[in-house]
Amino acid sequence: MILFCLSKNSKFSIWNAFFVFGLCIGFPFPSSALYLQLDTIADVKTNFSDGCASIKDIGNQSERLGIDAVIFGDYARNSIEFGVKPFERIFKNTTEGPSVLERGASGFISEINDNDRQIKKTLLIPGVETAPFYYWSGSNFDKNLTAHNWDKHLLIVGMRNASEYEQLPLPNSNLSLNYTEPLLNQFILLGFLCMMSMGAVYKGYARVITVPMMVLFILLTINNHPFRSTPFNTYNGDQGVKPYQNLIDYANSKGALVFWNHMENSSGIRQYGSANLSTFPYPNDLLKTKNYTGFQVVGDNPIQQAEAGQQWDKVLMEYLRGQRDQPVWGYGSNDYLCEDRNGDKLGSVRTIFLVREKNRDALLNAMRKGRMYAVRQADDNRLSLDEFIVEDQKTGKQATLGEELNATDFPAVKIKLRSVKGGNKTAQIQIIRNGVLAKQETVSLPYELTWRDVNNSKEEKAYYRVKASVNSMDHLVSNPIFVKFSISSDEMLASLPVSTEQLAPSPDIRIPDIPKPSPPQNIPIEPPAMQEISGAKTIDKTEVSSITMPEISVPIPKQPVVNPPEPPIPAAQIMAKNSSEMERSPVNAEKLLKVVVDGVALRKGPGTVFPKITNLNKGAEIEFVRRTNIEFNNKNWLVVKRGNRSAYIWEGVVEWAYPSKNVKK
């Protein structure tokens, strides 16, 4: 709104901006209200690879559908090859389909950027999908030649220039200098043998032998050159997650984002020419790899990693325990090739980003930080998570998707869920905390929820994420919000610095001066007559146990002179007097405060440097007397009464017992 006002060529624009800013200060908004929601489709393929439509057609169609951004996911390299060992890189059969690297990475980037400038309402962002490794087993002779993990894919978003695409560590790709070091020794040895054999042929030594050897070493040298696009050989069997981690590390080094894709899709074993392609689900790779940005959490079918306690939650718990440097985010993959082919529909899966402004950098920043949720929609009336925040109700601090809240109290989860075009819909909402289903409800939309998680132990970091489902074709999954618990209110009081102000003692508390006992003298001592101390008050029985009196040894005098004792006061009279003093006088309900934290201390002065009188449990009521001018964390110390005794308590740990009756003090 402020940016809108400033963009107008009006003499009132600056004043409008200040007015709006003042409204923001006077009426604070929830954390999620500070962001725009960008409706985005990701992993969209064009005719640069296996898609049917051009980049321009996808952009125009997305603009008509009201889609704010498109993240493309064309195949980086769509090639498979099998060679004859030991010359597998020379004598080979290659099958290559259209791809970004086959048609030219520079043309791919230029076409996206040109159309992005022309299409005003929809952002176009380059990205590629790739399989960084596959390996062979079997043979053509046995008719069981199989390429494993051919469909095991990663999505890479955010690389900016063609050279970064061209140097992706992929099989059968461009020459590279990135992996020469581990291959150089073998290449040097073969090169030396090649030179020796060539010298022997040149000298004419036994050419019947040296010529075949020369040809052999030349072929071996060429076949084992060190300028490969990847250090992993497709003929050496399964390499585990190493090739995938290598690609993740490369993407990170270029400042790009990398996501695991289609982890539950299984091609099984299918025919591809004379060979078989085999890929089985790989969700456990979420746990085996690190430093990737996220994974596909919503697709055409529900994904099991999104369920409570599955691989995603295990990875997030590793992050909470400090075993990972960064959390893992979920995004929605449209996996689009051609409209209405095999059920494909542009926009059937969306990723909704929370951004400050609508541009490419803001979207990529939200993607990196997890400010997004993913939606599967059966029609135009998709689910919308208008608000998902976690709040510390004591301090008013809030956090939304991908953020972390520093809380001092039980977290309050706030959700606003609706369908964008209304109608009667019933949805099941799940709140998952630390991999456990903490709350589940079946509700009618639109729906608002404020739920205070009083079962959270507050002993360690936590996260909350939301799932909402109408059916298998209409559901959403949010990214987590993290909560870090700071010290409790009582610990906050204990950490208060000693005040340097001169503090006036409460007029309601008078502490008599007790002289230190002098050393005993060998003279007759007449015990002093006990006089009533003015202003002294009777101590409540419940407080006696918390007061420790110093032990004072009284010397035994020799032959003391004692005045005749006064008649003793009957015990019944003493008990009656104490009972009458301890009886609490009626208290005005407008002045009652209620303690909101267990173990709060009443003290003899306004600060933790003063002695503790007693502890109060949550829900205990005390009488408000007055507010002091001594503050801590923008809250004052209060003078209160407990029984007939005055004391001090910090305003941050109490609230009015009866707010409707309270009058401003």
Side-chain angles (χ1 to χ4, degrees):
M1 181 65 181
I2 294 176
L3 293 175
F4 173 77
C5 293
L6 289 175
S7 67
K8 300 297 183 182
N9 295 322
S10 168
K11 63 180 181 179
F12 299 109
S13 60
I14 301 298
W15 296 109
N16 290 338
F18 280 115
F19 175 72
V20 174
F21 180 75
L23 288 178
C24 295
I25 297 297
F27 302 96
F29 296 100
S31 178
S32 58
L34 300 175
Y35 295 102
L36 303 171
Q37 290 201 9
L38 289 191
D39 198 336
T40 306
I41 54 175
D43 193 14
V44 176
K45 293 170 181 61
T46 70
N47 55 12
F48 256 86
S49 57
D50 280 358
C52 297
S54 67
I55 290 172
K56 183 175 183 178
D57 291 339
I58 293 292
N60 289 331
Q61 185 180 354
S62 299
E63 190 174 42
R64 288 193 300 270
L65 293 173
I67 295 170
D68 295 308
V70 178
I71 299 174
F72 292 98
D74 281 294
Y75 295 129
R77 175 73 73 186
N78 191 13
S79 169
I80 186 170
E81 64 180 35
F82 180 78
V84 180
K85 298 192 73 172
F87 310 111
E88 65 273 9
R89 295 182 184 86
I90 300 175
F91 305 112
K92 60 187 179 181
N93 178 33
T94 302
T95 303
E96 184 164 5
S99 66
V100 170
L101 294 179
E102 189 267 339
R103 296 191 60 183
S106 58
F108 176 69
I109 297 172
S110 296
E111 189 168 339
I112 290 177
N113 290 338
D114 290 344
N115 284 281
D116 184 44
R117 285 188 289 267
Q118 296 172 22
I119 299 172
K120 301 301 181 182
K121 295 182 180 180
T122 301
L123 301 173
L124 304 182
I125 300 173
V128 292
E129 186 178 60
T130 184
F133 183 70
Y134 63 90
Y135 68 96
W136 292 101
S137 69
S139 68
N140 275 323
F141 299 104
D142 297 329
K143 297 184 179 180
N144 63 352
L145 183 65
T146 303
H148 299 271
N149 295 336
W150 169 252
D151 294 315
K152 195 170 180 178
H153 289 159
L154 291 162
L155 177 72
I156 301 173
V157 181
M159 291 196 299
R160 298 183 182 274
N161 55 67
S163 63
E164 293 175 346
Y165 288 90
E166 291 165 356
Q167 293 299 302
L168 282 167
L170 309 176
N172 324 324
S173 195
N174 299 324
L175 298 179
S176 173
L177 295 174
N178 295 331
Y179 308 106
T180 56
E181 185 175 350
L183 304 172
L184 195 58
N185 290 336
Q186 181 186 26
F187 177 72
I188 292 174
L189 176 61
L190 289 173
F192 174 75
L193 294 175
C194 179
M195 295 297 293
M196 292 289 292
S197 62
M198 291 174 66
V201 171
Y202 179 77
K203 293 289 186 180
Y205 299 136
R207 292 190 174 184
V208 175
I209 299 175
T210 56
V211 168
M213 289 186 63
M214 180 186 70
V215 173
L216 174 65
F217 285 125
I218 290 175
L219 292 175
L220 286 174
T221 302
I222 296 173
N223 189 79
N224 292 280
H225 69 82
F227 311 111
R228 303 177 198 172
S229 56
T230 175
F232 301 100
N233 193 327
T234 59
Y235 303 95
N236 291 344
D238 190 4
Q239 302 292 308
V241 298
K242 292 179 182 178
Y244 305 92
Q245 187 63 59
N246 183 57
L247 179 64
I248 292 169
D249 294 340
Y250 175 84
N252 286 330
S253 71
K254 304 304 179 184
L257 313 176
V258 57
F259 295 83
W260 280 105
N261 246 9
H262 324 307
M263 302 191 80
E264 291 193 350
N265 287 356
S266 171
S267 67
I269 299 178
R270 58 188 174 92
Q271 195 73 23
Y272 186 78
S274 61
N276 299 314
L277 302 180
S278 174
T279 305
F280 293 99
Y282 44 98
N284 286 330
D285 285 356
L286 286 180
L287 296 164
K288 297 175 182 178
T289 51
K290 60 183 180 179
N291 297 330
Y292 54 94
T293 312
F295 76 109
Q296 178 197 358
V297 74
V298 170
D300 289 333
N301 299 301
I303 293 176
Q304 289 301 309
Q305 293 101 292
E307 299 297 324
Q310 296 301 311
Q311 288 87 352
W312 190 19
D313 284 321
K314 292 177 182 178
V315 171
L316 292 175
M317 289 303 297
E318 288 181 355
Y319 169 69
L320 292 189
R321 290 192 290 263
Q323 298 169 351
R324 287 180 179 263
D325 294 333
Q326 62 190 47
V328 168
W329 312 121
Y331 92 104
S333 168
N334 199 172
D335 194 21
Y336 177 83
L337 291 169
C338 301
E339 191 73 16
D340 295 326
R341 183 199 292 179
N342 300 324
D344 281 5
K345 193 168 186 64
L346 190 68
S348 61
V349 177
R350 311 283 180 99
T351 304
I352 314 301
F353 292 93
L354 273 60
V355 299
R356 302 289 189 189
E357 52 186 333
K358 186 177 178 180
N359 59 49
R360 184 183 290 185
D361 289 339
L363 188 147
L364 291 176
N365 182 58
M367 197 174 197
R368 185 184 304 277
K369 295 185 177 180
R371 290 199 308 272
M372 56 188 173
Y373 65 91
V375 185
R376 172 70 171 93
Q377 59 187 77
D379 50 35
D380 293 338
N381 196 19
R382 68 168 176 83
L383 293 174
S384 176
L385 189 61
D386 290 347
E387 179 179 274
F388 174 36
I389 60 174
V390 178
E391 180 183 58
D392 183 348
Q393 293 183 327
K394 186 179 296 182
T395 62
K397 294 180 180 178
Q398 297 177 340
T400 188
L401 297 165
E403 297 178 347
E404 182 175 278
L405 173 69
N406 192 2
T408 61
D409 196 8
F410 294 110
V413 179
K414 295 186 176 182
I415 296 172
K416 290 183 181 179
L417 182 70
R418 65 182 175 94
S419 50
V420 293
K421 293 190 175 180
N424 296 323
K425 278 191 178 183
T426 300
Q428 183 187 74
I429 295 180
Q430 295 180 350
I431 300 177
I432 298 168
R433 183 226 306 132
N434 290 10
V436 177
L437 183 59
K439 185 174 179 62
Q440 178 172 287
E441 288 187 1
T442 300
V443 302
S444 297
L445 303 181
Y447 177 71
E448 293 187 21
L449 170 69
T450 298
W451 171 63
R452 193 162 180 255
D453 186 11
V454 296
N455 292 323
N456 194 311
S457 64
K458 300 192 296 183
E459 294 177 355
E460 56 185 14
K461 290 179 68 174
Y463 68 85
Y464 295 86
R465 62 183 183 89
V466 169
K467 286 186 60 190
S469 176
V470 175
N471 52 54
S472 62
M473 303 293 286
D474 191 2
H475 59 273
L476 68 78
V477 178
S478 83
N479 272 301
I481 301 174
F482 297 95
V483 180
K484 178 181 179 181
F485 295 100
S486 64
I487 57 177
S488 67
S489 296
D490 196 46
E491 293 171 315
M492 288 170 63
L493 295 182
S495 65
L496 277 172
V498 178
S499 176
T500 57
E501 281 190 58
Q502 186 175 0
L503 303 176
S506 169
D508 298 314
I509 303 176
R510 298 181 184 176
I511 304 175
D513 294 331
I514 302 177
K516 295 182 180 180
S518 58
Q521 303 291 333
N522 293 329
I523 57 175
I525 298 176
E526 182 178 341
M530 300 300 294
Q531 298 179 359
E532 187 176 355
I533 301 174
S534 174
K537 296 185 180 294
T538 305
I539 299 175
D540 193 325
K541 287 182 178 181
T542 60
E543 300 172 354
V544 171
S545 60
S546 65
I547 301 176
T548 304
M549 298 298 293
E551 296 182 3
I552 303 175
S553 59
V554 179
I556 302 175
K558 296 181 180 180
Q559 297 179 353
V561 179
V562 182
N563 292 331
E566 296 180 1
I569 301 174
Q573 184 178 345
I574 295 174
M575 293 300 293
K577 181 180 179 182
N578 288 344
S579 176
S580 64
E581 291 181 355
M582 292 173 60
E583 184 177 353
R584 183 176 176 177
S585 59
V587 178
N588 187 349
E590 296 177 353
K591 295 186 177 182
L592 284 181
L593 298 171
K594 181 172 65 176
V595 176
V596 296
V597 179
D598 281 330
V600 172
L602 288 179
R603 298 187 178 273
K604 291 185 177 181
T608 56
V609 296
F610 290 91
K612 184 188 299 183
I613 296 175
T614 188
N615 288 333
L616 300 179
N617 290 327
K618 184 177 180 180
E621 293 185 352
I622 51 180
E623 181 183 356
F624 173 82
V625 177
R626 64 181 175 86
R627 179 178 282 103
T628 72
N629 61 355
I630 299 169
E631 292 187 356
F632 171 68
N633 278 1
N634 297 322
K635 293 184 182 292
N636 299 71
W637 282 82
L638 307 178
V639 179
V640 297
K641 275 190 176 182
R642 174 72 170 172
N644 284 330
R645 183 158 192 175
S646 295
Y648 289 80
I649 194 168
W650 184 51
E651 188 178 14
V653 295
V654 295
E655 62 183 18
W656 291 108
Y658 305 99
S660 61
K661 296 181 179 181
N662 176 49
V663 293
K664 186 175 180 180
K665 300 297 175 187

